[in-house]
Amino acid sequence: MNGFENLPFLLRDMHNVVGKERSKEFEEVDCRVMFEYFAKMKEANEDFFFSWRVDEANKLMDVVWVDARSRVAYMDFCDVVCFDATYITNHYELPFANFVGVNHHDQTILLGCALVRNEDTETYKWVMREWLECMGGVQPGGIITDQSVLMAKAIQQVLPDSRHRLCVWHILSKVPWKLLAVKKAEEVHKKMKDIVYDSFSIKEFES
């Protein structure tokens, strides 16, 4: 025998292979469980919506789902929708995207969810098309996102009638970094927040 030390691979390599196979197995099981849950939700209420797509290897790429109550709520509260894809809290580190609105009690309401493999324009276009189809083709009056250029391109093509605006929180969160070279930066930052959050008219904001 040549001996363990002469093997053409390391123990670490074996662990990597085993890890990948286990991850693949877990992914297949989790996907099956997820779609079984979606099927039960659809059986309980035919207005529950879900859609997915796979790649050439028949591996799940992206999935969108919308609760029946969310579809009903959207018809009344489609004025402004926030689209966010900054959450990565799941085991597979897939970005979790969501559509969120506000009801007549100033409460946030969930209007749709998605798990996406890639954060690119084509993926966002697919998610938005599926979500828009679910909502009967009714585009929101306005849509708020972070400063992602990829999202902006998708919105221009899929939601051309929606007014696109950037999230003020994301904008103001970058202000301290932009003001590093400015004297009395904290004072300037506070003044900017006061102007943004406490102005109730265009005239008041500009003055």
Side-chain angles (χ1 to χ4, degrees):
M1 300 294 292
N2 293 328
F4 176 80
E5 66 277 4
N6 295 319
L7 289 174
F9 52 84
L10 303 175
L11 183 60
R12 182 181 59 203
D13 298 325
M14 295 175 61
H15 285 310
N16 289 338
V17 171
V18 172
K20 288 180 180 179
E21 290 301 316
R22 285 180 176 174
S23 177
K24 181 180 178 182
E25 180 180 350
F26 291 152
E27 181 177 354
E28 292 174 352
V29 171
D30 287 348
C31 285
R32 184 172 68 251
V33 171
M34 178 176 65
F35 283 113
E36 287 176 353
Y37 172 76
F38 287 165
K40 289 181 180 179
M41 292 294 291
K42 185 74 173 179
E43 183 178 353
N45 191 323
E46 62 179 11
D47 288 331
F48 180 84
F49 174 90
F50 68 100
S51 179
W52 73 95
R53 63 176 182 169
V54 296
D55 59 17
E56 296 81 3
N58 204 37
K59 185 177 181 180
L60 182 66
M61 292 178 60
D62 314 298
V63 57
V64 176
W65 69 96
V66 183
D67 186 81
R69 290 174 296 181
S70 298
R71 300 180 73 177
V72 174
Y74 179 74
M75 295 301 108
D76 292 322
F77 308 112
C78 59
D79 306 81
V80 179
V81 171
C82 177
F83 179 69
D84 190 6
T86 59
Y87 300 98
I88 305 180
T89 59
N90 53 79
H91 174 73
Y92 301 108
E93 297 187 350
L94 294 174
F96 171 75
N98 58 76
F99 295 88
V100 175
V102 178
N103 65 18
H104 55 300
H105 296 296
D106 288 332
Q107 299 170 326
T108 55
I109 51 176
L110 188 61
L111 298 173
C113 304
L115 286 174
V116 298
R117 183 189 297 181
N118 301 310
E119 297 181 273
D120 54 35
T121 298
E122 288 304 314
T123 298
Y124 291 138
K125 283 168 59 177
W126 181 84
V127 170
M128 291 178 186
R129 285 197 189 105
E130 296 300 307
W131 178 79
L132 186 62
E133 177 184 343
C134 166
M135 297 306 187
V138 179
Q139 298 186 31
I143 183 167
I144 300 173
T145 70
D146 62 20
Q147 294 171 292
S148 169
V149 176
L150 304 175
M151 284 186 187
K153 290 181 179 179
I155 290 170
Q156 289 174 2
Q157 297 181 44
V158 181
L159 304 170
D161 297 331
S162 299
R163 182 168 293 183
H164 182 206
R165 291 291 181 265
L166 301 179
C167 173
V168 67
W169 184 89
H170 284 96
I171 295 173
L172 290 180
S173 66
K174 296 182 179 180
V175 170
W177 180 75
K178 297 289 185 179
L179 296 177
L180 287 177
V182 177
K183 293 182 178 180
K184 299 182 178 180
E186 291 186 8
E187 183 178 332
V188 174
H189 187 205
K190 183 179 183 303
K191 184 64 176 178
M192 290 183 66
K193 289 198 295 184
D194 291 342
I195 293 172
V196 170
Y197 290 118
D198 297 331
S199 297
F200 294 96
S201 66
I202 296 176
K203 182 178 180 181
E204 185 179 2
F205 180 87
E206 293 181 345
S207 63

